[in-house]
């Protein structure tokens, strides 16, 4: 902080937070082709400020200062090359200004900035999801001034903020009679096109037609008819100024819906889809819910406040009302306007209100139905949704038991039938099941490649049975909540004795019995050697190429979950795997014929450790494994 000498006594020059500097710099370059959005962003802020005033005035009428006519003014001055946006909303104190117009309050901003690449096309997409808000003024202006006064404070408490967007801003306390905020944009020379009445009007029409407050401009001077006097320009509202969601669907165009989305989300990409509903009856509400096209940069941070905008009887009550949707639908943007809550409802009340619970149930259903419909009617669109938001939908499987079936149908998996893309639904899988197959098979592995190359896959590959390949961090947790899908059990192929049921041919079963007989003594001998490490030893028909594998108990914790818990230092229940051997493999035959005890032990332990490695496990004594393996290799070369 450094006070500059020639400023007034209460003036100071402060530096922007580093992130703001970075944002300003990148924004100016990457948003150039979207530059006209600055107006939408500033009008959105003005509209929010009017909303906030109306809300606070519910309990303190004096805040209106005898002027309850809420509106936004838009002025321009061609000669001075300025555009001014003025609201008579809540305004800001000096402290507010410093906090809001010098820093970015979003958590994770620094991390977000580090993702920007300098490639303007890519960055503009990212910045779009981040939401640039006020700072977008600097795309078109080389100097921005803010004059503001918080509603209810006296005229001496006005604040003047000014910056050229280059690292610092100046702030001073000034006299200001008008409540609310004026933002003066000193346009760059090359952006003078915006200091034009027709241009501004068309932008307001295009982007801000359906905000709840009128945007007022002076009428354009019309050439006077002969013999008549030139009319003085008059104030006129240039937008519809009816809250979009209060209109009936037939009155709203696609573009209206899209621009309204951009207003409430600060996203400048179009939403993927939306659902607009009015409900009367036991519950009385209107909701307008949007599914964004791209995930926000902080989607996985479950702590970030988010939620719908809540209105009660058209009066804005609060932003980020998170009680109206479950956490796993945190990406949904939109508004809910209800008559069933009172105007003085608080966050605390929302947490334990029966009506809120009913609304939440209804809105959750809306979102899920919208997604289900999209999945049915436009698979490609749904796929793009899944690629962005699939991970959080998976959270729902464990968190929203009442909608589990709907959610299960929305899941998409990578399977052995394709590559690592998650694009197979459980319905698809079931429709492709083999005639006598009665289970849905899956493997949960650290990566897709690890899953595909697991020895446990061998029999499934041989028999052409499709297997779901789960490799997202959340999968192990999710699948523990999904034991069945439409009466079909989901079976982890690395757990429990393999039972392919009817798919297994009689012949296979016979072979299996024979193998058990042939290798009875071997199994016993191995079991004695590995007593501490394994629960059971048996011959298996699940392998075709590998000599051996490890199999977890049918009720053991998912291997991936176990690893995550271990990594987090949490206690994990002890469990020993079973060790299964492939009777067709020459190494197993060799083991059976091995007369030398030491070599028998070495070979067995190497097979055991190999099986653990193939599961992606860490060896407890990797050095011992290497020694044994080298000993066997040396024997080979003898
Ligand atoms: P966002 O609107 O996403 O919070 P912005 O950068 O646009 O981010 O604005 C930051 C904050 O500055 C706002 O949250 C609000 O508190 C304050 N602000 C911006 N414009 C106005 C305004 N016209 N009146 C009152 N407060 C405003």
């Amino acid at each position: 902080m450094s006070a500059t000498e020639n400023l007034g006594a209460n003036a100071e020059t402060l530096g922007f937070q580093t992130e703001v500097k970075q944002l300003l710099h990148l924004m100016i370059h990457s948003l150039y082709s979207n530059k006209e959005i600055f107006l939408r962003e500033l009008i959105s802020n003005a509209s929010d400020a009017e909303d906030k005033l109306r809300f606070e005035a519910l309990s303190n009428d004096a805040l209106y200062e005898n002027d309850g006519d809420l509106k936004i003014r838009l002025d321009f001055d061609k000669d001075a090359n300025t555009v001014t946006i003025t609201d008579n909303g809540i305004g800001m104190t000096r402290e507010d200004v410093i906090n809001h117009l010098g820093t970015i309050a979003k958590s994770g901003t620094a991390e977000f900035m580090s993702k920007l690449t300098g490639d303007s096309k890519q960055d503009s997409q990212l910045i779009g999801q981040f939401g640039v808000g006020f700072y977008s003024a600097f795309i078109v202006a080389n100097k921005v001034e803010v004059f503001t006064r918080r509603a209810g404070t006296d005229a001496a408490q006005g604040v003047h903020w000014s910056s050229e967007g280059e690292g610092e801003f100046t702030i001073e306390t000034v006299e200001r009679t008008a409540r609310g905020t004026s933002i003066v944009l000193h346009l760059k020379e090359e952006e003078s096109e915006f200091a034009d009445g027709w241009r501004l009007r068309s932008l307001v029409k295009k982007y801000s037609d359906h905000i709840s407050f009128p945007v007022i401009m002076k009428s354009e001077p019309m050439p006077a008819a002969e013999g008549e006097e030139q009319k003085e320009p008059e104030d006129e509202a240039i937008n519809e100024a009816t809250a979009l969601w209060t209109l009936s669907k037939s009155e709203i165009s696609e573009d209206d819906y899209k621009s309204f989305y951009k207003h409430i989300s600060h996203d400048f990409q179009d939403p993927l889809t939306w659902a607009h509903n009015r409900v009367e009856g036991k519950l009385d509400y209107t909701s307008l819910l949007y599914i964004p096209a791209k995930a926000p940069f902080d989607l996985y941070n479950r702590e970030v406040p988010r939620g719908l905008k809540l209105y009660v009887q058209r009066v804005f009550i609060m932003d980020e009302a998170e009680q109206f949707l479950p956490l796993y639908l945190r990406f949904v943007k939109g508004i809910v306007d209800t008559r069933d809550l009172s105007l003085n409802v608080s966050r605390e009340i929302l947490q334990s209100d029966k009506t809120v619970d009913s609304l939440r149930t209804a809105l959750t259903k809306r979102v899920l139905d919208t997604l289900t419909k999209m999945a049915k009617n436009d698979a490609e669109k749904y796929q793009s949704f899944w690629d962005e938001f699939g991970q959080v939908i998976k959270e729902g499987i464990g968190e929203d038991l009442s909608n589990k079936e709907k959610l299960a149908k929305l899941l998409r998996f990578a399977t052995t039938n394709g590559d690592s893309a998650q694009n197979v639904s459980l319905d698809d899988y079931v429709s492709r099941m083999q005639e006598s197959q009665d289970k849905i098979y899956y493997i949960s592995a650290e990566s897709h490649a690890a899953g595909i190359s697991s020895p446990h896959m061998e029999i499934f590959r041989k028999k052409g049975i499709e297997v779901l390949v789960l490799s997202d961090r959340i999968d192990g947790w999710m699948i523990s909540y999904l034991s069945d899908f439409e009466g079909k059990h989901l079976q982890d192929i690395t757990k429990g004795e393999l039972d392919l049921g009817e798919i297994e041919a009689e012949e296979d079963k016979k072979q299996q019995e024979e193998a058990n007989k042939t290798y009875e003594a071997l199994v016993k001998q191995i079991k004695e050697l590995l007593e501490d490490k394994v629960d059971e030893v048996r011959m298996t028909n699940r392998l075709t190429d590998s000599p051996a594998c490890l199999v977890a108990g049918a009720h053991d914790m998912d291997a991936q979950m176990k690893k995550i818990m271990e990594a987090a230092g949490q206690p994990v229940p002890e469990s020993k795997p079973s060790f299964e051997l492939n009777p067709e493999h020459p190494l197993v035959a060799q083991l059976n014929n091995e007369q030398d005890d030491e070599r028998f032990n070495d070979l067995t332990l190497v097979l055991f450790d190999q099986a653990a490695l193939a599961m992606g496990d860490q060896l407890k004594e990797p050095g011992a494994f290497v020694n044994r393996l080298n000993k066997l290799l040396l024997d080979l070369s003898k």
Side-chain angles (χ1 to χ4, degrees), residues 259-381:
S259 51
F260 188 73
Y261 166 73
K262 292 171 185 173
H263 257 289
I264 58 169
S265 68
H266 292 280
D267 184 351
F268 58 74
Q269 302 183 56
D270 287 340
L272 202 57
T273 190
W274 56 85
H276 181 193
N277 298 90
R278 180 165 305 151
V279 174
E280 279 164 20
K282 227 167 105 206
L283 285 173
D284 186 334
Y285 70 92
T286 303
S287 60
L288 175 51
L289 306 174
Y290 289 96
I291 312 286
K294 291 272 171 209
F297 72 100
D298 53 3
L299 178 66
Y300 297 110
N301 183 346
R302 288 164 58 99
E303 309 299 321
V304 172
R306 59 191 114 215
L308 303 179
K309 268 180 186 286
L310 171 64
Y311 289 77
V312 171
Q313 295 170 39
R314 299 192 186 179
V315 178
F316 168 80
I317 304 294
M318 69 180 80
D319 270 318
E320 289 149 2
E322 72 266 19
Q323 292 81 359
F324 292 92
L325 285 173
L327 195 54
Y328 72 91
L329 296 179
R330 58 186 174 270
F331 53 87
V332 174
K333 297 266 163 65
I335 66 104
V336 53
D337 186 352
T338 178
R339 290 178 178 279
D340 297 326
L341 293 168
S342 89
L343 281 166
N344 58 17
V345 66
S346 64
R347 274 188 204 274
E348 289 67 42
I349 293 176
L350 289 183
Q351 269 161 18
S352 56
D353 186 281
K354 283 229 157 58
T355 314
V356 175
D357 289 344
S358 310
L359 284 167
R360 175 187 170 109
T361 304
L363 297 175
T364 303
K365 184 169 176 307
R366 285 262 177 257
V367 176
L368 297 183
D369 288 349
T370 304
L371 293 173
T372 304
K373 214 158 86 192
M374 193 202 296
K376 189 160 161 249
N377 299 337
D378 192 340
E380 205 177 312
K381 200 171 190 183

Side-chain angles (χ1 to χ4, degrees), residues 132-148:
V132 286
F134 170 77
Y135 300 107
S136 65
F138 287 100
I139 310 174
V140 295
N142 51 20
K143 180 178 172 188
V144 177
E145 287 185 279
V146 178
F147 298 88
T148 185

Side-chain angles (χ1 to χ4, degrees), residues 425-525:
S425 69
L426 290 174
D427 281 321
D428 292 342
Y429 180 97
V430 169
S431 73
R432 295 200 286 251
M433 273 167 54
Q434 298 197 0
E435 212 169 307
S436 48
Q437 185 182 346
D438 59 355
K439 294 192 183 82
I440 297 172
Y441 293 103
Y442 71 88
I443 188 165
S444 165
E446 197 141 284
S447 67
H448 184 78
I452 291 283
S453 61
S454 162
H456 292 94
M457 281 290 188
E458 291 171 10
I459 180 77
F460 291 90
R461 203 171 294 128
K462 181 172 158 199
K463 300 216 173 263
I465 303 171
E466 187 171 11
V467 178
L468 307 177
V469 184
L470 276 56
S471 59
D472 284 336
R473 251 182 95 82
I474 188 171
D475 284 344
W477 174 84
M478 176 197 68
I479 210 79
S480 67
Y481 287 92
L482 193 68
S483 54
D484 291 274
F485 175 74
E486 302 200 323
K488 304 218 162 33
H489 181 61
L490 272 87
Q491 173 68 44
D492 183 339
I493 65 167
T494 66
K495 276 192 198 167
E497 263 189 270
L498 181 69
D499 174 15
L500 289 177
E502 300 283 308
I503 310 173
E504 218 160 0
E506 273 308 309
E507 212 176 304
D508 293 342
K509 283 185 194 147
K510 243 193 234 143
Q511 270 184 8
Q512 175 81 17
E513 276 164 29
E514 267 170 39
N516 281 340
K517 256 192 230 140
T518 317
Y519 289 108
E520 207 178 325
L522 176 68
V523 164
K524 198 158 157 255
Q525 206 179 347

Side-chain angles (χ1 to χ4, degrees), residues 598-599 601-602 606 624-638:
E598 193 182 330
R599 275 174 48 120
N601 290 357
D602 283 344
V606 163
F625 168 71
V626 171
N627 282 340
R628 279 186 206 110
L629 187 62
N630 288 346
K631 240 161 82 188
L632 293 169
L633 289 173
L634 279 173
D635 280 354
L636 265 185
S637 56
K638 267 184 201 155

Side-chain angles (χ1 to χ4, degrees), residues 208-214 239-247 251-252 260 314:
S208 314
D209 209 20
H210 287 292
I211 58 159
S212 313
F213 302 94
N239 62 335
E240 291 286 337
T242 37
L244 185 81
W245 67 90
T246 62
L247 302 174
E251 292 174 85
I252 310 175
F260 188 73
R314 299 192 186 179

Side-chain angles (χ1 to χ4, degrees), residues 20 75 109 159 171 195 238 286-287 345 359 389 409 453 519 521 611:
V20 176
D75 295 291
T109 303
V159 182
I171 185 162
I238 56 168
T286 303
S287 60
V345 66
L359 284 167
F389 299 106
K409 281 182 168 292
S453 61
Y519 289 108

